[in-house]
Amino acid sequence: MYLVTSAAAAAEPTTGVAGWAAHLVDVFGGPGAGLAIALENLFPPLPSEVILPLTGFAAGQGVISLFSALLWTTLGSVVGAAALYGIGRAVGRERMYALWGRLPLVKVSDLEKTEAWFQRHGTKAVLIGRMVPIFRSLISVPAGVERMRLPVFLSLTAVGSLAWNSVLVLAGYWLGERWDLVETYVGVISKVVLAAAVTAVAAYVVVRLRGRGRGPGRGRHRDRERRTEIEQAR
């Protein structure tokens, strides 16, 4: 049974990411869904809110079993996250500091604070981060940079990914031909998270620019005070 031919026309994904994911599931079954999710972790523009509900829809149509859908998508999440973890570990702490020091409008102290925060809350960050759109992929990189113990990282990633995948796969399974509704609602959440992140970055840049603008003024003020003190001493 093929996913793209067994459902009503309105639910037949044949183009775009959905069509690509449906083809992988049709050809490779559960491993195809796992491959799609592994690539989604490496390339966040590939939306899990499309791939996972579609995989659940495929399970509902009997193309694969529900157990296979959950098993392979979670395994794909762990494999993709492990690859990003490896990239972060390869970059390492020293290179990260060197790269950070070359960026405009940032301070090494900001990275030090972020590192200290991750050392205190890293396990929670990885676990919860796997269930937050956009950050679910990115959180693997700092875990690698900080050299979080690999068994701990993989365990937390598996648990968090299983929770996230289960919600979206089961939604697609239960919604059937309306599986694409999941994309609509999760897409809204993703946009809100992205907007919040962009706003935070913009606020950070504004604060840094204002700080730079005030810096020379303070310097000139201190220079005038020194000159006044020298003149008074004479």
Side-chain angles (χ1 to χ4, degrees), residues 40-80:
E40 177 267 334
N41 276 263
L42 293 171
F43 306 101
L46 291 175
S48 63
E49 60 265 28
V50 171
I51 299 171
L52 291 171
L54 179 61
T55 302
F57 172 56
Q61 295 295 314
V63 179
I64 57 176
S65 69
L66 185 58
F67 175 79
S68 178
L70 294 173
L71 172 65
W72 284 103
T73 55
T74 299
L75 182 59
S77 296
V78 172
V79 170

Side-chain angles (χ1 to χ4, degrees), residues 155-202:
S155 298
L156 293 169
T157 298
V159 172
S161 298
L162 178 60
W164 171 263
N165 295 353
S166 295
V167 171
L168 271 65
V169 168
L170 289 173
Y173 182 84
W174 288 324
L175 287 172
E177 296 174 10
R178 296 181 298 161
W179 64 270
D180 55 330
L181 290 176
V182 180
E183 177 189 1
T184 302
Y185 290 107
V186 177
V188 171
I189 296 174
S190 298
K191 290 176 182 176
V192 170
V193 172
L194 180 59
V198 170
T199 300
V201 171

Side-chain angles (χ1 to χ4, degrees), residues 95-116:
R95 285 198 186 103
M96 180 62 70
Y97 270 89
L99 291 171
W100 188 269
R102 296 175 185 173
L103 296 175
L105 304 178
V106 298
K107 295 180 178 179
V108 174
S109 59
D110 294 329
L111 182 56
E112 291 172 344
K113 291 175 183 177
T114 302
E115 184 180 25

Side-chain angles (χ1 to χ4, degrees), residues 123-132 160:
T123 53
K124 290 182 286 186
V126 171
L127 179 62
I128 298 173
R130 293 301 307 174
M131 294 177 274
V132 179

Side-chain angles (χ1 to χ4, degrees), residues 198-214:
V198 170
T199 300
V201 171
Y204 176 87
V205 171
V206 169
V207 170
R208 283 286 178 261
L209 288 174
R210 286 181 176 176
R212 283 190 171 188
R214 292 171 183 172

